[in-house]
Amino acid sequence: MIAATVGSAVGLGNIWRFPAEVQSNGGAVFLAIYILCVLLLGIPVMLAEFSLGRAGHSDAVGVFKNLKAGKCWWAVGGLAILASYLILCFYMVVAGWTFEYLWQSISGGLFSPEVGESASTHYVMKMESFVTDSYNPLINTYMMILINLVVLLAGVQKGIERISNVMMPVLFLILLIFIGVSLTLPGAAEGLEFFLKPDFSKISATTVVNALGQAFFSLSLGMGILITYSSYFPKDAKLTRTAMTVSLLDLLVAVMMGLIIFPAVTSFGLSSEGLRGATLVFITLPEVFGQMPMTQLWSILFFLLLTVAALTSTISIAEVSVAFIRDRFKMKRWKACLIVLMPLFVLSALCSLSLGPLSHIRLAGFNIFDFLDNMATNIMLPIGSIFLCIYVGWFAPKTMLPDQLTNNGTIRSRMYRPVLFIIRYIAPLLIGLVLISYFI
Ligand code: PFF
């Protein structure tokens, strides 16, 4: 049970998105606020979702119906599903990038610079010209959508999940090895300082909103997925322990990525200017591999693991929408799969092209990719979570949260009172304030 939930939480959010956010939000200050967000808000909101899911025993919309909540509460589940779908649109694009880098590692193309090109410029040029290209990223995104379609239609997601459960510990181990390599690079200390030594004068509302959004994204909160997962949790599962384990492991993987990326960034002198956050990992990691014996082997192994991690995440995000459409509209599974995945051929394509040929299209100052990411991650997930906390804290049956946290009184839960306090007051107020200050 913990493995499945960790499988959903650990993904591109930790490996790709977290370092990119740290990079563009001033380094260690972001990390400090991020850790606070995970501990103070992430774990309690996760417990709210777990309790709701196990008590309501259904999908993100169905739980409210089963718990006999008033009609408008269903909208909270609806918002979660919509947010998860928007996230899927751009997540699929990045999943495509990992796929391309897997092929490039196998063919060796990733590690063969042009004549006269230094290694550092090679990796920057490679990624920049790849993401801005019209066809290449699109083809890879389409490949990932097709793989998702095949897996969902064949109903073998359990198989993929099992493979991923074996592969995740391997990923963890090789990240440890990469940390060792990265920390011993010349000039590593400067990068470490950027990542670990906060300058609190740099805090702004944007930093806090971004950290909060990243925490929700990374823990898969506010998307309806944990509600759905926890409806399958056994009665004697200890929710508090599960939430803490999942959150801390997820945090650990993110911090490990920071320890790999930032020493490498300063060591290789990749200037942060002109370097898109979104492409950071795809540029620095090959640099690290280049420092290791058997470069290609490490690269293949890493991108293979990352592609599988991305696949388990895209499948579980898509599954939220498939389950919803199938249940609500009483539709056959294959039809629901097509309805969910077909529009991605257009929507994900728009996201992908918005980094290249369509970069002139601006929505609220962002390209389409960043706009969807910002809106879904930084705005919709937190808003959904506020309402979720208000429901669980104030409107759900009074015995729901204590019963779920203590397994109907059979175990003690010291966390119950603080969690209830946070869910009732702190989380809605704090998240609300952060959002308001972001807009004014
Ligand atoms: N939490 C995942 C990550 O950090 O990559 C993303 C994710 C997976 C979100 C599955 C939602 C989900 F249902």
Side-chain angles (χ1 to χ4, degrees):
M1 181 186 76
I2 290 182
T5 319
V6 171
S8 154
V10 174
L12 295 174
N14 311 59
I15 312 265
W16 155 73
R17 201 176 185 282
F18 175 77
E21 289 289 300
V22 173
Q23 162 94 356
S24 47
N25 286 287
V29 200
F30 181 86
L31 175 66
I33 304 173
Y34 176 72
I35 293 178
L36 272 181
C37 288
V38 169
L39 299 180
L40 187 69
L41 301 173
I43 295 178
V45 174
M46 191 179 279
L47 280 170
E49 289 205 19
F50 280 173
S51 308
L52 197 58
R54 197 166 63 169
H57 218 78
S58 181
D59 60 72
V61 172
V63 279
F64 291 105
K65 205 166 157 198
N66 286 353
L67 291 170
K68 309 215 167 14
K71 256 207 161 66
C72 54
W73 287 111
W74 303 5
V76 178
L79 182 75
I81 292 173
L82 181 62
S84 75
Y85 194 75
L86 296 181
I87 286 176
L88 186 60
C89 297
F90 67 86
Y91 204 96
M92 204 59 101
V93 174
V94 186
W97 298 349
T98 64
F99 199 53
E100 165 76 8
Y101 268 59
L102 175 60
W103 288 123
Q104 291 268 344
S105 310
I106 294 173
S107 72
L110 181 57
F111 298 101
S112 37
E114 309 280 318
V115 186
E117 205 182 30
S118 78
S120 290
T121 9
H122 168 67
Y123 297 121
V124 177
M125 296 298 290
K126 183 125 207 144
M127 187 60 190
E128 290 291 309
S129 63
F130 168 64
V131 290
T132 50
D133 189 74
S134 309
Y135 301 107
N136 239 343
L138 215 57
I139 292 169
N140 285 285
T141 306
Y142 283 178
M143 283 302 293
M144 282 312 271
I145 301 177
L146 282 176
I147 296 176
N148 270 271
L149 196 60
V150 170
V151 172
L152 283 168
L153 285 179
V156 291
Q157 33 300 37
K158 284 272 170 301
I160 301 282
E161 212 167 84
R162 233 168 278 146
I163 298 175
S164 131
N165 285 347
V166 179
M167 287 173 106
M168 281 307 112
V170 183
L171 178 69
F172 195 78
L173 272 184
I174 70 167
L175 288 186
L176 271 182
I177 297 174
F178 296 162
I179 292 182
V181 175
S182 203
L183 289 183
T184 47
L185 290 170
E190 203 188 318
L192 263 190
E193 194 168 306
F194 173 77
F195 182 53
L196 296 177
K197 200 166 155 211
D199 174 359
F200 284 103
S201 64
K202 292 219 182 94
I203 290 189
S204 70
T206 318
T207 322
V208 183
V209 166
N210 289 340
L212 191 68
Q214 175 62 23
F216 283 101
F217 186 100
S218 191
L219 297 174
S220 310
L221 290 178
M223 307 189 213
I225 181 90
L226 294 184
I227 296 181
T228 317
Y229 269 40
S230 54
S231 65
Y232 301 111
F233 283 0
K235 278 199 183 64
D236 57 352
K238 296 184 174 124
L239 297 189
T240 317
R241 186 185 292 178
T242 309
M244 303 252 270
T245 314
V246 172
S247 306
L248 295 180
L249 276 177
D250 188 74
L251 178 63
L252 184 64
V253 175
V255 172
M256 286 167 84
M257 276 316 289
L259 292 177
I260 297 170
I261 297 292
F262 295 105
V265 169
T266 47
S267 175
F268 298 117
L270 296 168
S271 84
S272 43
E273 270 164 70
L275 199 69
R276 260 183 249 251
T279 57
L280 181 66
V281 166
F282 293 88
I283 293 168
T284 37
L285 277 178
E287 288 259 21
V288 175
F289 302 150
Q291 298 295 310
M292 303 170 73
M294 298 183 293
T295 300
Q296 212 170 332
L297 189 73
W298 289 112
S299 185
I300 294 174
L301 188 59
F302 176 77
F303 284 113
L304 177 68
L305 294 170
L306 194 54
T307 306
V308 174
L311 194 63
T312 55
S313 291
T314 48
I315 289 171
S316 69
I317 308 176
E319 183 68 39
V320 177
S321 303
V322 171
F324 167 73
I325 292 187
R326 216 176 48 154
D327 293 351
R328 293 302 131 211
F329 303 102
K330 305 272 168 285
M331 215 174 257
K332 289 229 164 57
R333 186 180 168 81
W334 68 267
K335 271 195 196 156
C337 290
L338 288 180
I339 291 180
V340 169
L341 289 172
M342 283 309 180
L344 290 182
F345 281 104
V346 177
L347 296 172
S348 294
L350 284 176
C351 287
S352 177
L353 293 173
S354 76
L355 299 176
L358 298 184
S359 60
H360 57 280
I361 301 181
R362 295 272 141 183
L363 302 166
F366 296 109
N367 61 36
I368 303 174
F369 184 111
D370 291 336
F371 176 75
L372 278 189
D373 185 352
N374 263 294
M375 191 169 70
T377 310
N378 293 344
I379 298 170
M380 291 170 77
L381 297 186
I383 291 184
S385 304
I386 293 182
F387 285 109
L388 190 98
C389 288
I390 295 181
Y391 177 74
V392 174
W394 298 97
F395 292 92
K398 285 280 161 291
T399 51
M400 186 185 90
L401 193 65
D403 280 355
Q404 288 302 327
L405 295 192
T406 62
N407 290 351
N408 295 319
T410 55
I411 51 169
R412 261 160 47 92
S413 171
R414 257 175 286 149
M415 292 279 277
Y416 168 60
R417 287 200 176 282
V419 165
L420 182 65
F421 184 72
I422 292 178
I423 289 177
R424 277 195 162 171
Y425 304 100
I426 309 277
L429 271 176
L430 212 60
I431 302 175
L433 271 179
V434 169
L435 280 175
I436 291 170
S437 63
Y438 177 63
F439 282 112
I440 51 176

